[in-house]
Every structure is written in C-alpha cells, then in structure tokens.
Amino acid sequence: MSSAKQVPETKQATPPKGEVLTLPSKNASAVAQPVTKDKSLVERLKKSGLDPQKLLDLALPGTTAKSVTKLRHQLILMGFLFFVALPSAAFTAYMFFWASDQYHSTTAFAVRSSNPVAATEILGMVMDGGGESTTSNSYIVTDYLQSQAILQDLPEDVDLQEIFNRETSDILFRMGADLPIEDKLKYWQSMVDVSFDATSGVIYVEVRSFRAVDSVKIAQAVLERSEVLVNRLSETNRRQTVQFAEKSVAKAEARLKAIRKQMLAYRDQTQEVSPEDNARLAAEMIAGLDQSRAELEARKRL
C-alpha cells in the first residue's frame, strides 16, 4: 500500500496594510518599502534630525542641478530678448521708418597771424614777448564754438529753436521748446562737431540739421562769429605788443638818461670832454715812451 507523501502547503505572506514610501536609489530605480501606519519612514527621518528633501537631492544629484541650469538659461534668454534684441529692433525700425533725414554742412578754417615778425630782427626780438600765438588762438576758438557764448552771439536770423524744431524733424532728435540754456548747449554740442588738427592748424566744423539750407546757414554764422573772435584776439594781442614795446622803449630811455648823467658827472669831475679821446692820447704817449726807451737801451749797448 503506497502512501502518498504529503507536501506541506506554503502560504505566501501578504504584507501588512500601511503606507508605502518610494525612495529612489542611485540608479533611479524605485524601491517600495512598507512601513507601519504609526511610524512611517518620513517621520523617522524627521525625528532623527534628517531632512528628507536633502536626502532625495543626494540620491538624485542631477535633478536639482539640471533644473537650476535650465532656469538660468531661460533667464539669460529672456534678458537677451528684452534688453538687447527688442531695443535693437525697435531702434532699427525707428531709424528706417520714422527718423527724419539730417543734412551735413562742413566748414574749415585756420587762424594765421596778420603781421609775422622775424625773430632774428632786433624789433622782432623786442616784440617777441608780446607776440600772438596762432595755436593758442585756435584752441580758444575751438572752445568758444562749444561754449554757451556762441549761442548768445549768434545773429537773430539764426533761430535755433525754430531750425531744430521743424515739422519735418522727428520726435527723438528734435530740440524741444523752452529748454534751459544748459540743455540747449548740450543739444548744440550733439548737432555741431568742432575739432582742431594741431598738425595743420585747421579747425573743422560740421553742422547737422533737418534742412540743407539750415545747415549752411548755421555754418556761415559760425564762420562769421569765429572771424570776429579771431580779429578781437588779434587786436588784443596787438595792443599787448604795442604796450610791451612802449615799456621796452621807456626802459631804454631811462637807461640812456642815467648813462648821460654819469658822463656829465665824470666830465665835471675830471674836466675832460671826451674820456675816449683822453684814453687814446694816453695810449699813444705810452707807446711813444716805450719806443724811446727801446732806442736808448740799444744805444747804451753799443
């Protein structure tokens, strides 16, 4: 009688019911570990003083770095669009479609002395201390054309507020109305360029406006005012030169008078009319005596 061997039945253990927390490993495989309802893994980590979020960042180090890098790239792209691309596109569109045409007018002139004096001449040496310097005058004219004085010296028919606020001028580059003198000067310097070439001594003036006629008109007014200033400087230098020459002549006359007084005092004291003649006669007498002495010594030897 065969007896069948009885195999014990194995019962598969079912996990107890409770919360399940998934903690990713280094190879990003999720492993579910059951915990009890009363003590979950998160609560145990918090009680032990650990931060679950930091442990998660350590388990997946690339996740946070990738998110930060992506956010930085997005911020850079947005900054480029808002601060570079859009302003450049707006300015380009304005210059092409709305900006008014500007007309340039250029003039050039040089400051030269009207009466050059040779330094080798005696009069030139006397007047050299008060002579005019064309280089310094050129720098003075250059500074004058970029200063507030030129705005005040322009003729009445050159109305800058009317010229730079034409109907054809655009909003961005027009001058504006009722500006203080400081803002007018700043706008003038932006529309009128003045440069000085020290090598050639030429002053270049470039004027820009919204009409060709206005540019030429302003350039002619600038040239006229520069000529007036140069003539005024030349007249001032001429007066200084004359004053310097007059002072030199006065000093020479004073020295001559002093020397004459000394000569008169010497004549009264020595009763001599001409000291030079007396000295020449004395020299001739001494020469004659020397010759006589030589002849007597020669005779004595014989």
Side-chain angles (χ1 to χ4, degrees):
M1 187 174 177
S2 64
S3 62
K5 203 179 268 188
Q6 196 171 9
V7 180
E9 296 181 359
T10 58
K11 295 183 180 180
Q12 188 175 1
T14 59
K17 295 181 180 180
E19 295 182 358
V20 178
L21 179 65
T22 302
L23 181 64
S25 61
K26 289 184 179 180
N27 56 0
S29 61
V31 179
Q33 295 182 358
V35 295
T36 59
K37 291 183 178 180
D38 297 331
K39 292 183 179 181
S40 63
L41 181 59
V42 177
E43 292 177 353
R44 282 185 293 171
L45 290 175
K46 289 182 177 180
K47 287 181 179 180
S48 61
L50 300 176
D51 189 0
Q53 184 63 37
K54 292 183 178 180
L55 293 176
L56 187 61
D57 295 339
L58 293 174
L60 295 176
T63 305
T64 305
K66 289 180 180 179
S67 61
V68 173
T69 304
K70 186 177 180 181
L71 179 61
R72 184 168 63 250
H73 289 172
Q74 291 177 354
L75 292 176
I76 293 174
L77 180 60
M78 292 176 62
F80 177 79
L81 290 176
F82 282 103
F83 296 103
V84 179
L86 289 180
S88 300
F91 184 77
T92 303
Y94 182 85
M95 295 299 294
F96 269 97
F97 299 105
W98 289 284
S100 302
D101 296 333
Q102 293 185 6
Y103 299 89
H104 296 237
S105 178
T106 304
T107 181
F109 58 92
V111 179
R112 294 289 183 264
S113 177
S114 59
N115 50 350
V117 180
T120 56
E121 299 179 359
I122 299 178
L123 181 60
M125 295 175 64
V126 172
M127 299 178 63
D128 185 62
E132 59 180 319
S133 175
T134 57
T135 303
S136 61
N137 290 345
S138 299
Y139 280 111
I140 291 174
V141 173
T142 302
D143 294 338
Y144 168 74
L145 296 179
Q146 295 176 328
S147 65
Q148 179 179 341
I150 185 64
L151 301 180
Q152 299 174 350
D153 294 341
L154 287 175
E156 296 181 356
D157 58 341
V158 182
D159 190 356
L160 298 180
Q161 186 169 350
E162 180 182 358
I163 290 175
F164 292 117
N165 289 319
R166 301 288 188 185
E167 296 179 356
T168 56
S169 61
D170 56 285
I171 301 176
L172 186 61
F173 292 99
R174 67 175 51 184
M175 182 178 181
D178 300 331
L179 294 179
I181 189 63
E182 293 80 7
D183 294 340
K184 287 183 180 180
L185 178 60
K186 186 176 180 180
Y187 184 83
W188 170 267
Q189 293 175 352
S190 65
M191 300 298 287
V192 179
D193 296 330
V194 183
S195 60
F196 172 61
D197 187 1
T199 304
S200 60
V202 179
I203 301 174
Y204 297 93
V205 181
E206 183 181 3
V207 181
R208 297 188 301 275
S209 67
F210 304 103
R211 289 184 182 180
V213 179
D214 294 337
S215 297
V216 174
K217 188 176 182 180
I218 295 176
Q220 291 177 350
V222 167
L223 186 60
E224 292 176 358
R225 297 310 308 172
S226 300
E227 183 178 359
V228 171
L229 177 62
V230 170
N231 293 335
R232 191 186 309 164
L233 292 174
S234 299
E235 183 64 25
T236 302
N237 291 330
R238 192 176 298 110
R239 286 198 302 266
Q240 293 177 354
T241 302
V242 172
Q243 291 176 0
F244 181 79
E246 289 177 351
K247 290 180 181 179
S248 300
V249 172
K251 290 180 180 179
E253 290 179 351
R255 290 180 58 190
L256 180 59
K257 290 179 180 179
I259 293 173
R260 285 179 177 177
K261 289 181 179 180
Q262 293 177 1
M263 290 180 65
L264 291 175
Y266 178 78
R267 289 173 181 175
D268 294 338
Q269 184 179 359
T270 59
Q271 297 297 321
E272 296 178 356
V273 178
S274 177
E276 294 179 356
D277 295 339
N278 294 335
R280 184 168 55 254
L281 292 174
E284 291 177 355
M285 292 176 61
I286 293 172
L289 292 174
D290 290 338
Q291 186 177 0
S292 300
R293 187 186 66 176
E295 291 177 354
L296 292 174
E297 289 181 354
R299 290 177 183 179
K300 184 179 180 180
R301 293 174 184 177
L302 294 175

